[in-house]
Amino acid sequence: MGNCLTVGPNEALVVSGTCCGADDKTYVVGGWAWAWWLISDTQRITLEIMTLQPRCEDVETAEGVAITVTGVAQVKVMTEPDLLAVASEQFLGKSVMEIKAVVLQTLEGHLRSILGTLTVEQIYQDRDQFAKLVREVAAPDVGRMGIEILSFSIKDVYDKLDYLSSLGKTQTAAVQRDADIGVAEAERDAGIREAECKKEMMDVKFLADTKMADSKRELELQKAAFNQEVNTKKAEAQLAYELQAAKEQQKIRLEEIEIQVVQRKKEITIEEKEINRTEKELIATVKRPAEAEAYKMQQLAEGQKMKTVLIAQAEAEKIKKIGEAEACSIEAVGKAESMLYHRLGPKVRHPGPGK
């Protein structure tokens, strides 16, 4: 039986020993591996960046000046399979402090050997080149241990006899001297050049003034011609604008008149429709009822007239009948009296009609 082991990207897992008895090793970075109980051996080696501070004290340079140099280096175990195997052989089972101590001693040894081949001026004036040289010389040796130098720089350089301070003062004095000489030469050259520049400036100023006067005169002429042309164009444009404005105004007036005509036609049409509607409404609400009322009155008048005529005719017929009756009655009375008179003779006095 066995178990599954995982490892992060900051360390490598080395598994040795298999169930078949082989002595092969498996290297795992940021992954997992299977290990057999009581058979496989598992160990880990760090892949994190290690910071070292190599320091060489009182190392004599090529000139015999003892100086102390302090550097800063960033190193780490390389992850290529072959180089990781080499680093495992060298450092497997060791702590980070032990690995750093081995690499530090290697760097300090190379740093010390390189210091003996250089002058103080070379070390002091070009630290980057010095650090690059140390890195190039030490890289193969630490590489054979499976270690990679990521960076190396010189942190500090000093000596106990103030040689560097004196060198700095000497260089400062030399620099100051060269600066003073340079300033004097520059001032001299500046004076000569200033006189030449003044002469050139006067010549240039004369030419510039001449050209400026010519240019100003030409500019005035061009400005006058331009103004004349502008005024002419402006007058033409103003006239054209006024003519166009008059045309547009006339066109607008004609369109307004046409609109008014159209509106008047529409108003007339509406008025005609309103008149027709009003006429129809009057016919429906006034004329026809009035005609009906007049017809009614006419019929009533005619009926009344007929009634009066009939009544008059009836009254006349009545009077006629009464007259005829009275006439008949008188005639009958007359006939009776006449008959009585004839019968009674002259003794009977005839009273006459109505007595």
Side-chain angles (χ1 to χ4, degrees), residues 96 147 152 169 182 186 198 200 260 281 286 297 303 335 339:
V96 175
I147 301 296
F152 182 85
K169 291 179 181 179
K198 284 183 178 180
E200 292 177 357
Q260 291 176 0
E281 184 177 355
V286 178
M297 296 302 295
K335 286 181 177 182
M339 288 176 63

Side-chain angles (χ1 to χ4, degrees), residues 331-345 348 350:
E331 184 180 359
V333 171
K335 286 181 177 182
E337 288 180 353
S338 177
M339 288 176 63
L340 181 58
Y341 180 75
H342 287 296
R343 289 178 181 178
L344 296 179
V348 182
H350 189 279

Side-chain angles (χ1 to χ4, degrees), residues 84-207:
L84 182 58
V86 172
S88 299
E89 292 177 1
Q90 300 290 331
F91 303 111
L92 201 61
K94 296 182 181 296
S95 65
V96 175
M97 295 300 296
E98 291 174 334
I99 297 173
K100 291 172 68 174
V102 173
V103 179
L104 180 61
Q105 290 177 3
T106 304
L107 289 176
E108 288 179 347
H110 286 290
L111 179 59
R112 185 178 297 273
S113 64
I114 293 172
L115 286 172
T117 63
L118 300 175
T119 64
V120 177
E121 287 81 357
Q122 290 174 332
I123 298 170
Y124 184 77
Q125 294 177 356
D126 197 351
R127 294 188 182 188
D128 292 338
Q129 185 64 29
F130 174 46
K132 181 180 179 182
L133 181 61
V134 174
R135 188 165 58 250
E136 291 175 351
V137 173
D141 286 345
V142 296
R144 283 190 287 271
M145 293 185 289
I147 301 296
E148 178 184 7
I149 300 176
L150 299 177
S151 66
F152 182 85
S153 60
I154 301 301
K155 183 179 180 181
D156 192 16
V157 178
Y158 68 93
D159 68 297
K160 297 179 181 179
L161 302 176
D162 293 334
Y163 180 84
L164 293 172
S165 177
S166 300
L167 180 63
K169 291 179 181 179
T170 303
Q171 291 179 345
T172 301
V175 170
Q176 185 64 39
R177 180 197 62 209
D178 294 340
D180 292 340
I181 294 172
V183 169
E185 291 177 350
E187 290 178 351
R188 181 199 63 197
D189 295 340
I192 296 172
R193 184 59 183 164
E194 184 178 0
E196 293 176 351
C197 289
K198 284 183 178 180
K199 182 178 180 302
E200 292 177 357
M201 184 181 66
M202 294 301 294
D203 295 339
V204 170
K205 186 175 184 301
F206 176 76
L207 293 175

Side-chain angles (χ1 to χ4, degrees), residues 6 16 45 50 57 83 85 120 138 161 166-167 191 196-197 205 220 228 242 283 295 328:
T6 59
S16 59
I45 184 171
M50 295 173 284
E57 295 184 358
L83 298 174
V120 177
L161 302 176
S166 300
L167 180 63
E196 293 176 351
C197 289
K205 186 175 184 301
E220 293 297 333
Q228 182 179 1
E242 292 176 356
I283 291 173
Y295 179 74
C328 290

Side-chain angles (χ1 to χ4, degrees), residues 91 153 186 229 248 261 277 286 293 296 304 309 314 339:
F91 303 111
S153 60
E229 184 178 357
E248 292 295 331
V261 170
R277 186 191 66 79
V286 178
E293 186 66 23
K296 177 182 176 182
Q304 188 67 29
V309 171
M339 288 176 63

